[in-house]
Amino acid sequence: MRLSRSFLPTLKETPADAQIVSHRLMLRAGLVRQTSSGIYAWLPAGLRVLRNIAQIVREEQDAVGAQEVLMPTLQSAELWKRSGRYDAYGPEMLRIKDRHERDLLYGPTNEEMITDLFGQSVKSYRELPQMLYHIQWKFRDEVRPRFGVMRGREFLMKDAYSFDLDHAGAVASYHRMMLAYLRTFQRLGVKAIPMVADTGPIGGDLSHEFIILAPTGESGVFYDGAFEDQDWLSEPVDIADRGSLGGFFQRMTSFYAATDEKHDDTAWAGVPAGRRREGRGIEVGHIFYFGTKYTASMGITVSGPDGQPVTPEMGSYGIGVSRLVGAIIEASHDEAGIVWPESVAPFKGVVINLKPGDAACDALCERLYGAAPQQMLYDDRADRAGVKFNDADLMGHPWQFVVGPRGAVSGMVELKCRATGEKREVSADEAFAQIAAWN
Amino acid sequence: MRLSRSFLPTLKETPADAQIVSHRLMLRAGLVRQTSSGIYAWLPAGLRVLRNIAQIVREEQDAVGAQEVLMPTLQSAELWKRSGRYDAYGPEMLRIKDRHERDLLYGPTNEEMITDLFGQSVKSYRELPQMLYHIQWKFRDEVRPRFGVMRGREFLMKDAYSFDLDHAGAVASYHRMMLAYLRTFQRLGVKAIPMVADTGPIGGDLSHEFIILAPTGESGVFYDGAFEDQDWLSEPVDIADRGSLGGFFQRMTSFYAATDEKHDDTAWAGVPAGRRREGRGIEVGHIFYFGTKYTASMGITVSGPDGQPVTPEMGSYGIGVSRLVGAIIEASHDEAGIVWPESVAPFKGVVINLKPGDAACDALCERLYGAAPQQMLYDDRADRAGVKFNDADLMGHPWQFVVGPRGAVSGMVELKCRATGEKREVSADEAFAQIAAWN
C-alpha cells in the first residue's frame, strides 16, 4: 500500500483520554477510532492486525477438529429464558425491543444458542464429539468502558463449545483446546501462561485462564520459570489419543502459575527460588468445562449406545480477539511505538523513500515495494525523513527498508529490524531475499 | 472434511414455512438455521459460501483501490442527528437504549459514520480520492421478514464510500466501482446486469442496480442480449485513466436494460427484435452517486488547491453478501438441489465411498480426500448409496468422485459433474489431475 494514498492517519499528539499505552498507541498509529463510548471503528492497519489474529485463531481451532459456524449478533430473549439466564444476567446485557415489541438481546456469549443448534441436529451418540466455534462481535454494556479495545463494549470474540457423550470425552476435548490455545498464542508471538481459574459450583481443575505477560498488565502473576525454559509445544501430541492428550495436559499444568487472586504462598515456597518469576499479565483466553449445565436446563439429549437418552457434557472456550490487539501491544512496544510480532503485523515491512522524485530512489523503492505489494507499506510521501522514521517506528513494521539517493545509485539499502533496532547496509539482492522469506 | 464427523445436517423433508426455492434448499442442505424471525445462524457449509463470496468481493474492491475498514454494528444516535436522518428513518431502524439511557441504533447503513471518520482524518485535497469499504452485519427491522436470507433482518453487506474533490473525480470513482462490480459478479459465476435506478432529487444517470437473472426473481427485467453476447470484461480498462474508465462505462450502459418498474416501451422497440430478452431478476447490488449530501449536512470540508475549503463529493456502493447466497441458488439449482458455481461452493468436490469398510474403497477414498482435504468433503458415512447420491446433489458440490468396490480394485473412479450431470469412468490419475486443477 502506498502511504500517500492510504487511510492510515497517524497522530503526533498523545490523546489525552487514553490511559494505557496500548490505547494511546492504537490511536496514534491509526489502528482504530472510537465512534461511541467503548465502541471502535477499525481503520485499515488495525483491521489487518485483527484479521491476522483471527486467522491464526481459526487455523488452530480447525487443527484440533473444531468446526467454524457463525451465529448472529442478536438473539431472542426466549432462548435465554429456557436456560434461566435471562433474568440472572445483569445490566451488562444489552436488551432490545424490536418493532413488534419482541425482546431481543445483543449476545454477550452463545452457550444457549449453540446448545439449541446442536440439539436440533445431533440426535445420536455416534455423531459425538462435536466442537463448534465462531468468531463474532459481542456486546457487553460495561458501566465504564475504558482502556480502548481492552475493555470495550462491542468486541470480537472467538467462542468454541464442545459436546461429548461423557466426562472422559469432555476432558479430552478440554485438553485438545488447551493445546490449540497454547499453539495459537505461540504463533501470535506472545507468552501466554495457563493459570487455574475458578470453576464455581462445578468444581474440579478444568478451568484455566490464559495470561499474557506484560509489564502493564491488570493482574499480578506468579509462575515457575520452567514453563518458559523449554518449547513444550515441540513435543508431539496425538489429538486422537486421550493418553497422549492427558500427558500433554499434565506437563503444561505441572508448573506453579497463579494470578495474585489465587496465589498460594505454601505452593510458591515449593518452587525452586531460581525459577520463581513474578510479573504482571492480561487475560486473553479462558477455557471452562461445565458438564451438563446447559444441555440439562434446555432439555437436550442424544440417544446413547443402549438407545437410552444421554445428556451431553459441554465445555466453552473463549479468546478475546479484539482484546488481543491491545494485549499484544502492551506486551510488545517501546518508547517509539509498537513492535509488532511478524505474524500479526499489518505490514511486514515498510519501504522508506528518503527523496521522492529522485529517479534512482524512486526506481529502487518501486522494485522493493513491487516484490510484495500485499505485505509492504511504501512511504512515498513528500515529508521529511524524520517524520517517516518516526511513523515507521510508531506503526511498528518488523522491517524497514530505507532508501536514500546515494545508496540507491549503488544499489544499497539500509535494513532496520524494529524489534532489535539493528541497522545494516545491505545490497538490493539481500533486501529482496529478506522479502522473499515472508512468503 | 469427513461427513461422518461434521456438522452438516441435511434435511429430507421440505421445510413447510420456506416459500422460495433458495430458502428451502439452504435449510435442506444444512447451510443455515433460523434462530429468530429473519435472523440466521450460518452452519459450516453456509459459512464457507458466505466467506468465499466475501473474499471475491474484497479482492475486487481492493483491485480498484478501495481500502477495507471495519465499522462497528452499533452506532450513536447523535451521528444520525447530525445528518438529519435519525428522525427521518422509519421503523426499520432498530433503536436501542443502553444502560445509561443513551440512544444507540444497529446500523442499517454507514454514510454518517464513514463521513465522520473521513472528516476526522482527511484534511487536504492532496489525500483525495479515497474509497473506503467494509463488510459488516447490518440490521433492518423488516415488518415481515421472509424468503430466508434474501430478506432477513440481520444481514451481511459490503458497503463502500468514495470521496472526491469534484464531480469529475466522483464520476471516475463511480466508473471504477461499476468495473469492480461486474468483475465481482462474473467471478461469482452469475449474470448480473446493471440497470438504471432512481437517483431521487440528485438526478443524473449515476445510480445503477445490479440484477442477477433468475427465473424466480422478484422483478421482471428487459434487456438487450448484446450485453451477454460478448465478454466485455476481457477488454482492458486502465483504472487510473478517466477516459478509459468513461469508455468502459459507456460500453456497459449503452445496451437497453430495465426492470419492469422502469421499462420504456419506446426504447424497447428500438432494440433489434432478435436481441430482446425478457426474464426475471434479483437485486444484489446498488451503486449511487449523491454528491455532497452528507459532507455538506455534516459540515465536512478539506482544504482545496487554493487553500479554500472544499466539500467533497461522495458515492456509496452496496453488495448484499448474505443475500447473494440465496440469489446464487435461485439462479443455479435444479430439481435435485443446489448447483454451486466452483468459485463459491463450500466444497469443490465430494468423495463418495460406496462401501466403507472395504479395504480398496477406503484406501482410494482416503487418497482422493487427502489430495485436497480443505476443499473436499468425504462422505464416509455407513449410509446407503442412494442417501449419499441425494445428499451430494442436494449440497451441490461441483464434482463428485464415486468410489465402489469393483472400481477401487482397478483404480477407477466415477467422476460426475454436478452442473452438466455428465458421468465418466476415469482412472485415479485423471481424478487426481482434476483435483490438482483446483489449486
Side-chain angles (χ1 to χ4, degrees):
Chain A
M1 195 176 282
R2 287 171 202 275
L3 195 39
S4 66
R5 302 245 52 80
S6 69
F7 195 66
L8 300 175
T10 55
L11 303 176
K12 284 186 199 67
E13 309 77 32
T14 297
D17 57 338
Q19 298 167 42
I20 60 171
V21 66
S22 61
H23 190 191
R24 288 195 291 271
L25 289 173
M26 288 183 72
L27 293 171
R28 287 192 55 213
L31 304 182
V32 293
R33 290 291 179 262
Q34 181 170 287
T35 57
S36 30
S37 172
I39 304 180
Y40 291 84
W42 296 77
L43 307 189
L47 178 58
R48 280 170 165 252
V49 178
L50 193 68
R51 290 180 60 198
N52 289 343
I53 294 172
Q55 183 58 25
I56 288 172
V57 169
R58 176 177 290 124
E59 288 170 9
E60 295 302 333
Q61 292 289 295
D62 293 346
V64 296
Q67 295 175 71
E68 190 174 5
V69 298
L70 186 59
M71 291 176 273
T73 61
L74 296 196
Q75 303 185 21
S76 145
E78 290 308 314
L79 202 52
W80 287 65
K81 288 174 183 166
R82 279 174 63 193
S83 75
R85 281 211 290 182
Y86 188 66
D87 293 325
Y89 219 99
E92 289 189 359
M93 177 188 277
L94 188 67
R95 293 156 207 262
I96 302 169
K97 278 196 192 294
D98 73 8
R99 66 191 292 170
H100 300 299
E101 297 289 313
R102 283 177 300 215
D103 289 315
L104 298 173
L105 57 97
Y106 201 121
T109 177
N110 284 66
E111 281 83 1
E112 284 81 357
M113 189 179 281
I114 199 78
T115 304
D116 186 54
L117 286 167
F118 170 88
Q120 285 178 37
S121 295
V122 179
K123 301 299 180 190
S124 161
Y125 75 96
R126 285 188 211 88
E127 299 165 71
L128 297 183
Q130 290 278 353
M131 290 207 287
L132 301 170
Y133 74 99
H134 75 157
I135 302 175
Q136 178 61 294
W137 294 90
K138 313 284 192 297
F139 199 92
R140 287 186 196 162
D141 202 358
E142 299 272 354
V143 65
R144 266 194 314 134
R146 56 197 162 140
F147 305 152
V149 301
M150 298 271 284
R151 189 165 295 181
R153 295 199 292 171
E154 187 169 329
F155 61 98
L156 187 61
M157 190 164 97
K158 185 284 299 179
D159 38 324
Y161 304 90
S162 63
F163 297 87
D164 280 274
L165 187 65
D166 53 27
H167 181 75
V171 168
S173 290
Y174 188 92
H175 292 169
R176 268 193 289 272
M177 274 293 169
M178 176 167 279
L179 177 64
Y181 273 47
L182 290 169
R183 286 176 174 167
T184 298
F185 295 121
Q186 187 179 57
R187 285 184 61 191
L188 294 176
V190 289
K191 276 187 196 155
I193 301 181
M195 304 201 179
V196 174
D198 280 327
T199 51
I202 289 164
D205 61 352
L206 293 183
S207 174
H208 285 85
E209 294 175 346
F210 291 78
I211 308 279
I212 284 187
L213 299 177
T216 52
E218 64 212 341
S219 315
V221 295
F222 302 83
Y223 65 99
D224 183 337
F227 182 85
E228 49 186 15
D229 291 344
Q230 187 178 333
D231 178 8
W232 298 98
L233 291 176
S234 64
E235 297 187 19
V237 183
D238 177 357
I239 62 165
D241 177 49
R242 291 182 182 179
S244 174
L245 284 165
F248 160 77
F249 179 75
Q250 188 61 39
R251 283 195 298 281
M252 299 313 295
T253 55
S254 61
F255 309 113
Y256 184 85
T259 58
D260 42 15
E261 285 171 13
K262 310 269 288 184
H263 188 46
D264 175 341
D265 284 327
T266 312
W268 186 234
V271 177
R275 288 183 0 210
R276 286 183 208 155
R277 306 269 197 283
E278 295 183 34
R280 303 197 68 78
I282 301 164
E283 186 196 334
V284 290
H286 194 163
I287 63 178
F288 194 65
Y289 160 76
F290 48 71
T292 60
K293 177 174 175 183
Y294 295 95
T295 40
S297 64
M298 295 175 70
I300 303 294
T301 61
V302 299
S303 65
D306 58 359
Q308 295 300 306
V310 178
T311 303
E313 301 244 343
M314 292 178 63
S316 73
Y317 314 89
I319 290 181
V321 176
S322 49
R323 169 169 251 237
L324 264 166
V325 181
I328 292 170
I329 294 173
E330 293 288 337
S332 187
H333 68 273
D334 61 19
E335 287 296 307
I338 301 168
V339 181
W340 285 120
E342 267 195 56
S343 60
V344 301
F347 302 94
K348 293 211 193 302
V350 59
V351 174
I352 298 178
N353 187 337
L354 292 182
K355 198 170 183 188
D358 176 273
C361 267
D362 289 353
L364 181 52
C365 286
E366 290 287 346
R367 284 175 58 213
L368 289 165
Y369 172 54
Q374 306 299 323
Q375 297 171 298
M376 186 80 87
L377 185 65
Y378 175 19
D379 193 343
D380 59 342
R381 296 176 300 177
D383 281 307
R384 287 181 297 108
V387 170
K388 297 182 182 188
F389 291 138
N390 286 346
D391 275 354
D393 281 350
L394 171 62
M395 295 183 71
H397 319 295
W399 299 98
Q400 301 175 9
F401 301 84
V402 183
V403 177
R406 275 191 300 276
V409 169
S410 52
M412 295 300 285
V413 176
E414 185 184 88
L415 178 61
K416 175 176 167 182
C417 171
R418 177 70 179 89
T420 63
E422 188 203 357
K423 297 178 189 177
R424 344 183 244 129
E425 289 287 318
V426 301
S427 68
D429 281 350
E430 285 175 273
F432 286 115
Q434 173 66 49
I435 296 168
W438 294 342
N439 293 305
Chain B
M1 196 176 282
R2 287 171 203 274
L3 194 38
S4 67
R5 301 246 51 81
S6 69
F7 195 65
L8 300 175
T10 55
L11 303 176
K12 284 186 201 68
E13 309 77 33
T14 297
D17 56 336
Q19 298 166 43
I20 60 170
V21 65
S22 61
H23 190 190
R24 287 195 291 272
L25 288 174
M26 288 182 73
L27 293 170
R28 288 192 54 213
L31 303 182
V32 292
R33 290 291 180 263
Q34 181 169 287
T35 56
S36 31
S37 173
I39 305 180
Y40 290 84
W42 296 77
L43 306 190
L47 178 58
R48 281 169 163 252
V49 178
L50 194 68
R51 290 180 59 197
N52 289 342
I53 294 173
Q55 184 58 25
I56 289 173
V57 168
R58 175 177 291 126
E59 288 170 9
E60 296 301 334
Q61 292 289 295
D62 292 346
V64 296
Q67 295 176 72
E68 189 173 5
V69 299
L70 186 58
M71 291 175 272
T73 61
L74 297 195
Q75 304 184 21
S76 145
E78 290 308 313
L79 202 51
W80 287 65
K81 288 174 183 165
R82 279 174 61 193
S83 75
R85 281 211 291 182
Y86 187 67
D87 293 326
Y89 219 101
E92 289 189 0
M93 178 188 276
L94 189 67
R95 293 157 205 263
I96 303 170
K97 279 196 191 296
D98 73 8
R99 66 191 292 170
H100 300 298
E101 295 290 312
R102 283 177 301 215
D103 289 314
L104 298 174
L105 57 96
Y106 200 120
T109 177
N110 284 67
E111 281 83 1
E112 283 81 357
M113 189 179 281
I114 198 79
T115 304
D116 186 54
L117 287 167
F118 169 88
Q120 285 178 37
S121 294
V122 179
K123 300 298 179 192
S124 161
Y125 75 96
R126 287 189 211 86
E127 299 166 71
L128 298 183
Q130 289 279 353
M131 290 206 286
L132 302 170
Y133 74 99
H134 75 157
I135 302 175
Q136 178 61 294
W137 294 91
K138 312 285 192 296
F139 199 91
R140 288 186 194 160
D141 202 358
E142 299 271 353
V143 64
R144 266 193 314 134
R146 55 196 161 142
F147 304 152
V149 300
M150 297 271 283
R151 189 165 297 181
R153 295 199 292 172
E154 186 169 328
F155 61 98
L156 187 60
M157 190 162 97
K158 185 284 299 179
D159 39 324
Y161 305 90
S162 63
F163 298 87
D164 280 275
L165 188 64
D166 53 26
H167 181 74
V171 169
S173 289
Y174 188 92
H175 293 170
R176 268 192 289 274
M177 273 293 171
M178 177 169 279
L179 177 64
Y181 273 48
L182 290 170
R183 284 176 175 166
T184 299
F185 295 122
Q186 187 180 58
R187 285 183 62 191
L188 294 175
V190 290
K191 276 186 196 154
I193 301 182
M195 303 201 178
V196 174
D198 282 328
T199 50
I202 289 165
D205 62 352
L206 293 183
S207 173
H208 285 86
E209 295 176 345
F210 291 79
I211 308 280
I212 283 187
L213 299 177
T216 52
E218 62 212 343
S219 315
V221 295
F222 302 83
Y223 64 99
D224 184 336
F227 181 86
E228 50 185 15
D229 290 345
Q230 188 179 330
D231 179 7
W232 300 97
L233 292 176
S234 65
E235 297 186 22
V237 183
D238 178 355
I239 62 166
D241 177 45
R242 290 183 183 179
S244 174
L245 283 166
F248 162 77
F249 179 74
Q250 188 61 39
R251 283 195 298 281
M252 300 313 296
T253 56
S254 62
F255 309 113
Y256 183 85
T259 60
D260 43 13
E261 285 171 12
K262 310 270 288 183
H263 188 45
D264 175 341
D265 284 328
T266 312
W268 186 234
V271 177
R275 286 180 6 207
R276 288 183 205 153
R277 305 268 197 286
E278 295 182 34
R280 302 198 68 77
I282 301 164
E283 185 196 335
V284 290
H286 194 163
I287 62 178
F288 194 66
Y289 160 75
F290 49 70
T292 59
K293 177 174 175 183
Y294 295 94
T295 40
S297 65
M298 295 174 69
I300 303 296
T301 61
V302 299
S303 65
D306 58 359
Q308 294 300 307
V310 178
T311 304
E313 300 245 345
M314 291 178 63
S316 74
Y317 314 88
I319 290 181
V321 176
S322 49
R323 170 170 250 237
L324 264 166
V325 182
I328 292 171
I329 295 173
E330 293 288 336
S332 188
H333 68 273
D334 61 19
E335 287 297 307
I338 302 168
V339 181
W340 285 120
E342 267 193 55
S343 59
V344 300
F347 301 94
K348 295 212 192 301
V350 59
V351 174
I352 298 178
N353 187 338
L354 292 181
K355 198 169 181 186
D358 176 274
C361 269
D362 289 354
L364 182 52
C365 287
E366 290 287 347
R367 283 176 58 212
L368 289 165
Y369 172 55
Q374 305 299 321
Q375 297 171 298
M376 187 79 88
L377 186 66
Y378 175 19
D379 192 343
D380 59 341
R381 296 175 300 177
D383 281 307
R384 285 180 298 109
V387 170
K388 298 183 182 188
F389 291 139
N390 287 345
D391 275 354
D393 282 350
L394 171 62
M395 294 184 73
H397 319 294
W399 299 99
Q400 300 176 9
F401 301 84
V402 183
V403 177
R406 274 191 301 274
V409 169
S410 51
M412 296 299 285
V413 177
E414 185 183 87
L415 178 60
K416 176 177 166 182
C417 172
R418 178 70 180 88
T420 63
E422 188 202 357
K423 296 177 189 176
R424 340 181 250 130
E425 289 288 317
V426 300
S427 68
D429 282 350
E430 285 175 271
F432 286 115
Q434 172 67 49
I435 297 168
W438 294 342
N439 296 303

